Amino acid sequence: MLRAKLTGARFWTYGAPDGKYALQHSKVLIVDSRTAFVTSANLSTAGAESNLEAGVVVHDVEFASSMRQRFTKLREHGAVIDLE
């Protein structure tokens, strides 16, 4: 549902080390290396309508850019993988 509305967006998820079970609950959205949204909210209809969640939007180029660089490095090392 969300993918269809965000043309051109990349969706990544946590890649469990050595195939072991692992869970990444936080959600991070980075827009043009200028704005970052970090939240615990599930990005679903139920999450939007039924849950009480918290998150923060940071409009700061340095912060958003460093988050993007961090996730890029995590992806290069296989800790973050493409969401299938």
Side-chain angles (χ1 to χ4, degrees):
M1 175 177 76
L2 188 59
R3 282 186 187 184
K5 295 181 180 185
L6 297 175
T7 304
R10 291 177 282 173
F11 290 80
W12 296 342
T13 190
Y14 180 60
D18 301 323
K20 296 178 181 175
Y21 175 79
L23 180 65
Q24 169 61 32
H25 185 66
S26 65
K27 287 72 171 182
V28 178
L29 289 90
I30 303 167
V31 181
D32 299 330
S33 295
R34 303 178 73 110
T35 301
F37 175 52
V38 181
T39 184
S40 64
N42 291 321
L43 304 176
S44 64
T45 302
E49 296 176 357
S50 303
N51 299 346
L52 177 61
E53 301 283 359
V56 62
V57 174
V58 180
H59 299 285
D60 181 272
V61 172
E62 187 175 333
F63 178 80
S65 182
S66 69
M67 290 286 289
R68 181 190 54 77
Q69 290 171 20
R70 176 69 176 141
F71 276 93
T72 298
K73 285 187 186 271
L74 288 169
R75 187 168 186 270
E76 289 170 0
H77 290 96
V80 172
I81 59 174
D82 291 327
L83 184 64
E84 305 255 340

